[in-house]
Amino acid sequence: MNLDLLARFYERMFLIRTFEQTVEAYFARGQMRGTTHGSIGQEAIAVGVLSHVHPDEDFVTGTHRSHGHFLALTGRVFELASELMGKKTGVIHGRGGSQHLAFGNFLTNGITGGMLPSAVGVALAKKLKGEPGVVISFLGDGGMNEGHTLEALNLAGAFQTPNIFVLENNHYAMSTVTERVTGGTFESRVRGFGLPYVRHRALDVLEIHRLFGEIYQRVRETRRPVFLEFETYRLCGHSKSDKREYVVPELEAYWRENDPLLRARRALPEETVREIEERVRRQVAEAFRRAEEAPFPDPAEELKPRP
Amino acid sequence: MPEMTLVQALRDALAVEMARDDRVVVFGEDVGRRGGVFTVTEGLQERFGEERVYDTPLDENGILGMAAGMALMGLRPVAEIQFVDFLWPGFDVVISDIAKERFRSGGQYGVPLVIRSPYGGGVKGGLYHSQSPEAIFAHIPGLKVVIPATPSEAKGLLISAIRDEDPVVFLEPKKIYFGIKEEVPEGEYTIPLGQARVVQEGSDVTIVSYGALLHEVLRANETLKQEGISAEILDLRTILPFDGPTLLESVAKTGRIVIVVEAPRILSVASELAAFVAERAVDYLDGPIVRVTGWDTPFPYALEPHYLPNVRRIVHGVRRALGLVP
């Protein structure tokens, strides 16, 4: 086992979790308002997958649940905390909040599966321009039942674009167990559009990193789409108002016991873990403190009538 | 200058821009091999290749999504929606992505793309091939909306729309696709967005319209002239951002205004222009602001001639604005 790599990944996973827990605490105290969608329990996917990205060449699209993707990609805690607080120093100057991030070649929106038609367009543009790089798009199991997701899979299959679809199947579409509202299987749908399909239970960040590395290299070379489904689990509510009364007890028990973050933690020397956690806690606390002090956007600058 | 129909002028605009700028790509349902239902893209695939002019599946969501993604990557997509009535399955992409990209990237980038689509009545298209939804697009912050009324305008405005840094919904009045011919400037010809055209100067009343109805207004003007009424006729051309100064200047001169659109009346472009004039120029007004519009029903097939504003209704509207009839 590559302990150095694992330590690096653990630090990012712990950063995401600490960020999400801090956000939960801010909401609980009424210091943040609106809504937010956490990814506690799913961090290993964001970290393992995005460890491969070439930020200048590849394009990444997220979802409404993308704090983890953003942090795995950029590590910019202050900008994200600022955005959630609606501050001018936010990722997009406080215009979007939690669900709407845009940074370099990373873009999300708040519509489930909503980024996918655009993601195929980005990949098609790469193909037409002969540019290198791939488009990595996260989506959730809820988004798999949206028409635009299926339309995007058809386009990727029809036009053979360099897209990698990364389904984070956490089993719940908000409060609905996705299986109960899904006809057939995701696998048969994806294969039906002519896309290769790979499934993996996302327990081990190093294993995710290795698996995604293979797929990533393959798509970079073949310029053809691949669909990857990760089985995962959300150990927090869908959004901050969610009391999680719908959870399936067996699933909950399994994933509590097999939390990928704790799994990575157990494999590392205690001293390493302590150093990482102290460093990350300081980093997050400092970023949130600075974000609190940052100014709000100026209405006179932002809101103008037209014509 | 060659004489062209609106369709020929649009085709010419696309060809000029595609030849000038290899970032311009054209796609949609049946636009490639067939050259489009109305032949606007005829010959473009042969000339510019299948990579730059291509057929898509029947998938408006996908067409508009691809356009958004390609524009993010620095291309200049011109996406065709075969009839604007078909756009709604892809409306989410328009409202959630295309319109918001510049705002939600914190101003970092926009999506320079054009959505071209035939719209409007007058061709016996019935319920799903006749609608005028320009106000729906204009209501969404982040979109520009353009409607040409002549072949020259079609060319000049389309080229400007393609060169614009932000998304433009370009609605083509299909009723006059083939029926009107005029001389159209050759080569790179542009008309700035956001500028109305004063079609005819006048002193008694301002009549504002756009698209196919502008020609109905011009026909109505023949009757008005016989009655000794001098109308100033404005062709709006850009629905949003509309040309407020030209509108106000004209109202200040005539003191009367009639707004003619074919869309349903409630919350139409006519409503917005009326509110604009009422807010900014009420002191100049000598009579009621009059709207001549379609009806607040879905678009009717058999009753199309009654639904669309015609010479009789426009003339009646002008008489009301002048206080000649109640």
Side-chain angles (χ1 to χ4, degrees), chain B residues 37-57:
Chain B
V37 164
F38 293 102
T39 70
V40 171
T41 54
E42 205 170 69
L44 294 180
Q45 191 178 63
E46 286 91 327
R47 184 166 165 201
F48 296 102
E50 290 188 11
E51 290 213 319
R52 292 182 66 199
V53 184
Y54 65 91
D55 292 318
T56 66

Side-chain angles (χ1 to χ4, degrees), chain B residues 231-309:
Chain B
E232 176 141 306
I233 299 171
L234 303 186
D235 173 7
L236 199 59
R237 302 199 292 198
T238 299
I239 306 304
L240 200 93
F242 63 80
D243 185 350
T246 297
L247 193 59
L248 294 178
E249 201 177 305
S250 180
V251 171
K253 182 165 82 175
T254 64
R256 321 255 177 187
I257 180 164
V258 178
I259 307 153
V260 186
V261 307
E262 65 178 85
R265 172 178 302 229
I266 301 283
L267 295 172
S268 63
V269 171
S271 305
E272 181 57 34
L273 298 182
F276 180 78
V277 170
E279 276 184 344
R280 308 286 183 97
V282 74
D283 291 346
Y284 293 104
L285 287 174
D286 301 318
I289 300 171
V290 173
R291 290 175 293 165
V292 180
T293 68
W295 298 87
D296 288 308
T297 69
F299 197 95
Y301 173 60
L303 294 178
E304 181 171 62
H306 301 267
Y307 181 92
L308 294 172

Side-chain angles (χ1 to χ4, degrees), chain A residues 2-271:
Chain A
N2 184 339
L3 280 185
D4 287 344
L5 194 60
L6 184 63
R8 191 151 65 79
F9 288 166
Y10 180 67
E11 178 152 356
R12 268 295 148 97
M13 289 164 69
F14 189 73
L15 174 73
I16 295 169
R17 184 160 300 188
T18 307
F19 180 89
E20 303 275 41
Q21 287 170 337
T22 309
V23 168
E24 284 186 349
Y26 268 69
F27 269 99
R29 292 196 300 266
Q31 283 176 288
M32 275 186 190
R33 274 169 280 181
T35 196
T36 182
H37 303 86
S39 61
I40 290 174
Q42 305 181 189
E43 301 92 340
I45 300 172
V47 172
V49 164
L50 296 174
S51 55
H52 291 281
V53 166
H54 290 58
D56 297 333
E57 289 185 0
D58 301 321
F59 201 97
V60 180
T61 69
T63 68
H64 58 293
R65 194 183 306 289
S66 267
H67 302 162
H69 307 137
F70 177 82
L71 290 174
L73 206 55
T74 70
R76 291 173 182 261
V77 190
F78 168 66
E79 286 84 348
L80 187 58
S82 295
E83 189 60 39
L84 266 68
M85 291 181 198
K87 297 300 181 73
K88 196 177 174 174
T89 47
V91 184
I92 55 170
H93 319 322
R95 288 176 173 186
S98 166
Q99 306 179 64
H100 316 98
L101 305 169
F103 186 87
N105 289 337
F106 175 69
L107 192 60
T108 70
N109 78 8
I111 306 294
T112 47
M115 285 309 306
L116 298 186
S118 303
V120 176
V122 171
L124 194 55
K126 283 188 175 297
K127 195 172 161 176
L128 294 181
K129 293 162 81 177
E131 285 183 3
V134 303
V135 183
I136 298 163
S137 294
F138 292 95
L139 73 154
D141 43 296
M144 274 303 282
N145 286 329
E146 293 282 4
H148 43 223
T149 299
L150 305 175
E151 291 171 43
L153 294 179
N154 176 57
L155 290 173
F159 296 142
Q160 290 294 305
T161 47
N163 284 96
I164 307 177
F165 299 97
V166 181
L167 167 58
E168 297 176 289
N169 183 349
N170 66 19
H171 303 284
Y172 304 116
M174 195 181 278
S175 69
T176 301
V177 176
T178 307
E179 255 183 11
R180 288 187 201 143
V181 292
T182 300
T185 63
F186 293 157
E187 176 173 2
S188 61
R189 284 183 192 179
V190 170
R191 291 196 189 279
F193 289 117
L195 267 64
Y197 168 92
V198 180
R199 178 164 46 208
H200 182 77
R201 184 170 292 183
L203 296 172
D204 184 323
V205 68
L206 288 176
E207 192 53 28
I208 294 166
H209 169 75
R210 186 198 60 73
L211 172 71
F212 191 80
E214 283 175 13
I215 291 169
Y216 177 76
Q217 281 312 326
R218 176 164 134 201
V219 176
R220 275 181 85 91
E221 281 154 29
T222 64
R223 321 300 292 153
R224 288 168 183 279
V226 172
F227 190 102
L228 172 59
E229 174 174 357
F230 283 114
E231 232 185 292
T232 181
Y233 198 76
R234 153 161 72 67
L235 289 167
C236 59
H238 158 75
S239 63
K240 56 106 191 175
S241 60
D242 179 357
K243 305 208 168 33
R244 304 187 82 239
E245 285 153 346
Y246 49 82
V247 297
V248 178
E250 300 77 35
L251 271 177
E252 184 80 9
Y254 175 85
W255 285 94
R256 289 255 168 236
E257 198 171 312
N258 290 283
D259 179 351
L261 181 128
L262 297 182
R263 186 190 179 103
R265 191 180 199 267
R266 280 194 294 269
L268 288 168
E270 273 181 34
E271 182 58 27

Side-chain angles (χ1 to χ4, degrees), chain B residues 101-280:
Chain B
E101 218 66 83
R102 182 168 295 286
F103 183 86
R104 78 185 172 96
S105 67
Q108 294 171 80
Y109 45 76
V111 279
L113 61 85
V114 178
I115 303 170
R116 272 191 50 242
S117 195
Y119 91 104
V123 296
K124 280 277 170 207
L127 210 50
Y128 301 106
H129 295 73
S130 304
Q131 297 169 89
S132 297
E134 63 274 19
I136 297 176
F137 297 107
H139 189 69
I140 304 166
L143 296 180
K144 290 176 180 163
V145 184
V146 172
I147 298 181
T150 69
S152 302
E153 286 184 4
K155 179 173 178 181
L157 291 168
L158 182 55
I159 292 181
S160 293
I162 294 170
R163 295 183 185 180
D164 201 89
E165 292 301 321
D166 284 299
V168 177
V169 177
F170 192 90
L171 298 175
E172 301 165 0
K174 59 179 168 296
K175 183 188 178 187
I176 54 169
Y177 260 159
F178 299 100
I180 296 167
K181 266 197 161 184
E182 69 173 2
E183 289 194 339
V184 174
E186 288 175 87
E188 293 186 30
Y189 169 63
T190 60
I191 296 171
L193 304 188
Q195 289 184 13
R197 174 168 69 104
V198 181
V199 181
Q200 170 184 296
E201 292 196 25
S203 54
D204 296 332
V205 60
T206 299
I207 309 176
V208 190
S209 194
Y210 49 85
L213 272 187
L214 179 72
H215 303 280
E216 202 67 14
V217 168
L218 292 173
R219 274 187 286 277
N221 185 50
E222 295 306 312
T223 308
L224 298 177
K225 274 198 283 194
Q226 286 165 18
E227 297 185 10
I229 297 169
S230 163
E232 176 141 306
I233 299 171
L234 303 186
D235 173 7
L236 199 59
R237 302 199 292 198
T238 299
I239 306 304
L240 200 93
F242 63 80
D243 185 350
T246 297
L247 193 59
L248 294 178
E249 201 177 305
S250 180
V251 171
K253 182 165 82 175
T254 64
R256 321 255 177 187
I257 180 164
V258 178
I259 307 153
V260 186
V261 307
E262 65 178 85
R265 172 178 302 229
I266 301 283
L267 295 172
S268 63
V269 171
S271 305
E272 181 57 34
L273 298 182
F276 180 78
V277 170
E279 276 184 344
R280 308 286 183 97

